[in-house]
Amino acid sequence: MTGRDEWRTNVGVKWAAEWRRTDRSFTGLTEELLRHALAIPVHNVLDIGCGAGEIALALARARQQATITGIDLSADLIAVAKARGGNLQNLQFVTGDARNWQPGGQKADLLISRHGTMFFDDPVDAFCNLRSSALPHARLIFSCFRERKFNEWATEFAELSPIVDAPDDEAPGPFAFGRQERIHELLSAAGWSGITYEPIDYAYVAGSGPDAVVDAKSYLLAIGPAAAAAARLDGSARQRFENGMETLLQSRCEQGIVAFRAAAWIVTARPN
Ligand SMILES: C[S@@+](CC[C@H](N)C(=O)[O-])C[C@H]1O[C@@H](n2cnc3c(N)ncnc32)[C@H](O)[C@@H]1O
């Protein structure tokens, strides 16, 4: 589980330090999400759980007549996003919680999120509040991972660890919105309808550059399920885990890139 308190503190700090490599891991997905967003005319956009701001920045550059606001729980991530987007007049980043955030001016006609919504502690409350921040004709577009079993970047490292536990994939975290039925239930309860789901398979790039395996290992030991598994081990168990990681990463290195299969949904909806 990665909930509000973790994002506000240690997890937010790690993502703020690793924003270049997290953006890289999402490259294939980002193109698809932006394809959806750029297909509709927009005036006021809200990027929910914007993190270090890549989606908000891309939209602010592509839609210069629109106003783009990114909100996130993590003050550390918002500081990075502000530094990246400092010179854009139509872009602002604010520390805030989707559960109670209120627009200062116009309501949004596009509410977008790349992998932010599945971390909501109270998804129905948050989607209800977002609905009240949306114009009647607004679109909600967000990405989230499909079920864990389709996401090699998570399953392959779990298999290397001697500690076996049954994670609660419906708790706030990467797979909380893995099942379409659950997304449907939560969005419908919060007053959203016309829900569509597009499955997107993409390459989760973990490492690249002159030594892609070393790059991937340091990235995966900083963020995500391999980092969490490694943190629970010490001594020879930790060494075996890291050796196993290296073998796996070498087997996944092709043409200077270490990548794993990732499976996501792009979900769209409208206010009732
Ligand atoms: C996996 S990160 C994705 C960040 C960013 N969208 C990206 O693609 O790089 C999830 C983000 O959602 C944010 N988040 C989680 N719950 C939130 C909430 N209730 N309100 C605002 N942001 C939230 C976290 O702080 C975190 O930055």
Side-chain angles (χ1 to χ4, degrees), residues 15-265:
W15 274 68
E18 287 290 352
W19 65 268
R20 289 181 180 79
R21 295 197 287 187
T22 54
D23 279 357
R24 179 184 66 183
S25 76
F26 284 128
T27 304
L29 177 67
T30 302
E31 289 164 10
E32 298 290 341
L33 195 58
L34 289 174
R35 172 174 61 79
H36 277 267
L38 295 173
I40 52 177
V42 294
H43 298 94
N44 276 289
V45 178
L46 179 64
D47 181 357
I48 310 149
C50 63
E54 188 178 25
I55 295 295
L57 276 158
L59 291 174
R61 290 189 182 113
R63 294 285 178 264
Q64 291 178 14
Q65 305 310 315
T67 302
I68 319 292
T69 303
I71 63 160
D72 200 281
L73 288 172
S74 162
D76 297 278
L77 277 163
I78 289 295
V80 172
K82 281 184 176 167
R84 291 174 81 186
N87 58 350
L88 291 170
Q89 298 298 313
N90 62 335
L91 175 63
Q92 58 164 342
F93 290 106
V94 183
T95 306
D97 188 332
R99 184 181 49 164
N100 51 25
W101 184 84
Q102 294 294 321
Q106 275 286 332
K107 292 186 175 193
D109 49 12
L110 171 62
L111 300 92
I112 190 164
S113 182
R114 184 180 72 184
H115 278 41
T117 59
M118 64 220 188
F119 292 95
F120 289 167
D121 286 74
D122 25 34
V124 175
D125 287 355
F127 282 127
C128 262
N129 184 53
L130 292 171
R131 185 181 164 283
S132 73
S133 315
L135 287 166
H137 64 277
R139 291 282 295 276
L140 171 66
I141 304 177
F142 67 83
S143 65
C144 55
F145 284 120
R146 306 210 300 277
E147 289 171 79
R148 182 187 295 265
K149 63 186 176 195
F150 302 123
N151 282 282
E152 275 184 342
W153 61 272
T155 55
E156 302 251 322
F157 295 101
E159 284 170 17
L160 297 175
S161 171
I163 301 176
V164 179
D165 48 18
D168 174 5
D169 278 349
E170 298 212 337
F175 304 109
F177 290 179
R179 289 189 309 109
Q180 246 186 60
E181 297 75 12
R182 178 148 201 261
I183 302 173
H184 187 86
E185 225 171 78
L186 296 171
L187 285 177
S188 305
W192 294 89
S193 59
I195 307 166
T196 69
Y197 307 86
E198 183 183 353
I200 303 287
D201 295 317
Y202 69 99
Y204 176 106
V205 176
S208 64
D211 199 336
V213 170
V214 170
D215 182 33
K217 186 176 171 198
S218 77
Y219 175 57
L220 294 167
L221 285 176
I223 270 186
R232 296 168 72 188
L233 304 172
D234 49 26
S236 56
R238 166 88 185 216
Q239 193 54 55
R240 275 195 300 279
F241 180 81
E242 289 198 25
N243 293 345
M245 263 185 98
E246 275 175 28
T247 308
L248 175 60
L249 296 173
Q250 271 151 7
S251 74
R252 292 314 183 92
C253 187
E254 274 178 40
Q255 296 174 350
I257 292 182
V258 176
F260 293 86
R261 274 175 42 188
W265 295 118

